[in-house]
Amino acid sequence: MCQLPDLKEKPNFYSQKLQLPELKEDLVKLKWSGEWLDFSGVYSTMLQNACKRVENAYKRFVRGDKNGTRSGKPRFKSQSRYPTLVFDGAKNNWLKFCTINGRWLYLNLPKLGLVKVRSHRPLPIGFTLKQVSVIRKAYGWYVTFVLNDERVREHSPDSVIPTWITRWDWMQF
């Protein structure tokens, strides 16, 4: 028998996402430590990504593994277990190009400001910036861009006709 009352509504990504504007308006007090948190300085997509991670952890907890056994409650994840910041909806005006040997550019990230980035290859002309990921690894920080280029045509695998020769055909020559 469970001593806990039933939830009125199962928490999911969308119900958590609806609470985010209220969190950003005012300070939030943590019950267990009494600390006050200010979420107004956090970019909105970061909070939405955190909600998505909570929903995925809850789904894995409820679903269990392939045998149907649950592995236990989700553990608390510290800030070191969140190494990637994903900025969805990036715009081209976030990039500021610099002409020092053509290897440096400045990235203007919301709520963070200008970040100096060394590029290892030139960005194509006529692209549209879709997403920026800032990744922390043991040996440094890396930035990954997701670009959209309208000049690249759509790939359709059905139009590819294989032209290789089978081993049996090769032995007959």
Side-chain angles (χ1 to χ4, degrees), residues 119-138:
S119 61
H120 65 90
R121 71 174 72 158
L123 294 173
I125 298 171
F127 67 92
T128 304
L129 187 61
K130 294 290 184 183
Q131 182 181 21
V132 175
S133 299
V134 180
I135 304 162
R136 184 188 71 225
K137 295 192 177 181

Side-chain angles (χ1 to χ4, degrees), residues 22-157:
E22 297 171 10
L23 285 176
K24 292 186 78 147
E25 287 177 4
D26 201 10
L27 297 174
V28 178
K29 183 177 181 180
L30 295 178
K31 291 181 182 177
W32 60 274
S33 68
E35 183 181 1
W36 290 89
L37 299 178
D38 182 18
F39 289 106
S40 63
V42 181
Y43 190 51
S44 60
T45 58
M46 299 298 134
L47 295 174
Q48 292 170 6
N49 288 341
C51 293
K52 191 67 174 171
R53 288 172 64 122
V54 169
E55 181 187 22
N56 289 340
Y58 182 73
K59 280 183 181 177
R60 283 192 294 268
F61 168 62
V62 171
R63 184 185 63 221
D65 62 1
K66 65 181 179 181
N67 297 328
T69 58
R70 295 186 187 162
S71 59
K73 293 186 289 188
R75 295 182 309 174
F76 171 76
K77 305 292 192 283
S78 69
Q79 62 188 9
S80 63
R81 301 277 302 257
Y82 198 79
T84 304
L85 301 175
V86 179
F87 294 90
D88 292 325
K91 297 176 178 53
N92 284 355
N93 62 359
W94 289 13
L95 293 174
K96 311 288 184 214
F97 294 99
C98 187
T99 59
I100 303 172
N101 298 332
R103 305 227 5 142
W104 295 96
L105 61 97
Y106 288 92
L107 182 62
N108 190 11
L109 295 173
K111 305 284 186 175
L112 293 179
L114 282 175
V115 177
K116 187 176 180 181
V117 178
R118 181 172 36 174
S119 61
H120 65 90
R121 71 174 72 158
L123 294 173
I125 298 171
F127 67 92
T128 304
L129 187 61
K130 294 290 184 183
Q131 182 181 21
V132 175
S133 299
V134 180
I135 304 162
R136 184 188 71 225
K137 295 192 177 181
Y139 39 86
W141 290 85
Y142 293 88
V143 176
T144 304
F145 298 118
V146 176
L147 305 174
N148 184 22
D149 194 355
E150 297 295 331
R151 296 172 296 155
V152 178
R153 59 187 174 93
E154 194 67 30
H155 172 67
S156 59

